[in-house]
C-alpha cells in the first residue's frame, strides 16, 4: 500500500523556520517525483516545490524561492521541505505528493501527481 505521511507542521512566528517531512511507505521514494503543495482557506491548492525523479533537479514557486528548500533522504525514504523566513501568507495545510513521471516538475502547478498525503498545518502568526 502506497502511503505518504507529512509531519512537522506547527505554529511559528513570522521570520521563523520549520522543516516538514514527507515519509513514504509501500514504494521507493527516490524513483518518484515528489512535490510539496499548500492550500490556504478559501484558496486554490498551489504547487510550492518539486524534486525530479530523474536527476534530483529542484523547482520552486516564485513565492517561496530563496526561502524554501526541498531535499530527499533516500536512506530514510523521506523528502523534506525546509522553510525559512516564514511569512503569514505561508499559512496553509501543506501536502506532499508523488508521481512517476519525471516531467511533472515542469508542468504548471506540478500537475500529474498520483498519490497524496493528508497534510500538515503550518500557521505563521505572532
Amino acid at each position: 500500500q502506497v502511503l505518504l505521511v507529512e509531519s512537522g507542521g506547527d505554529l511559528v512566528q513570522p521570520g521563523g523556520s520549520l522543516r516538514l517531512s514527507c515519509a513514504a511507505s509501500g514504494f521507493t521514494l527516490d524513483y518518484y517525483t515528489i512535490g510539496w503543495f499548500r492550500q490556504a482557506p478559501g484558496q486554490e491548492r498551489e504547487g510550492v516545490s518539486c524534486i525530479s525523479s530523474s536527476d534530483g533537479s529542484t523547482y520552486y514557486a516564485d513565492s517561496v524561492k530563496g526561502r524554501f528548500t526541498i531535499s530527499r533522504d533516500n536512506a530514510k525514504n523521506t523528502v523534506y521541505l525546509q522553510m525559512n523566513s516564514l511569512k503569514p501568507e505561508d499559512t496553509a495545510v501543506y501536502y506532499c505528493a508523488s508521481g512517476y513521471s519525471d516531467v511533472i516538475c515542469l508542468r504548471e502547478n506540478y500537475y500529474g501527481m498520483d498519490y497524496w498525503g493528508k497534510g500538515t498545518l503550518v500557521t505563521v502568526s505572532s
Side-chain angles (χ1 to χ4, degrees), residues 63-75:
S63 57
V64 306
K65 203 170 292 183
R67 299 188 298 122
F68 289 11
T69 303
I70 190 171
S71 62
R72 187 201 301 263
D73 185 335
N74 293 336

Side-chain angles (χ1 to χ4, degrees), residues 38-59:
R38 66 186 181 187
Q39 188 166 20
Q43 296 188 21
E44 296 288 321
R45 187 172 62 201
E46 172 191 20
V48 173
S49 183
C50 190
I51 184 164
S52 172
S53 60
S54 58
D55 60 2
S57 295
T58 57
Y59 302 81

Side-chain angles (χ1 to χ4, degrees), residues 7-117:
S7 62
D10 205 346
L11 170 63
V12 62
Q13 292 189 345
S17 297
L18 282 176
R19 189 178 76 160
L20 304 184
S21 300
C22 172
S25 60
F27 70 105
T28 302
L29 193 146
D30 61 335
Y31 294 153
Y32 288 79
T33 290
I34 305 296
W36 281 99
F37 299 77
R38 66 186 181 187
Q39 188 166 20
Q43 296 188 21
E44 296 288 321
R45 187 172 62 201
E46 172 191 20
V48 173
S49 183
C50 190
I51 184 164
S52 172
S53 60
S54 58
D55 60 2
S57 295
T58 57
Y59 302 81
Y60 299 93
D62 288 343
S63 57
V64 306
K65 203 170 292 183
R67 299 188 298 122
F68 289 11
T69 303
I70 190 171
S71 62
R72 187 201 301 263
D73 185 335
N74 293 336
K76 295 184 178 179
N77 217 29
T78 299
V79 169
Y80 302 99
L81 185 69
Q82 178 67 43
M83 305 187 297
N84 299 328
S85 302
L86 282 162
K87 305 174 181 179
E89 51 263 43
D90 294 318
T91 295
V93 177
Y94 283 72
Y95 302 88
C96 67
S98 67
Y100 194 68
S101 173
D102 61 2
V103 299
I104 288 174
C105 292
L106 303 177
R107 297 175 183 161
E108 184 175 350
N109 215 26
Y110 312 138
Y111 176 79
M113 296 294 182
D114 299 312
Y115 297 100
W116 294 80

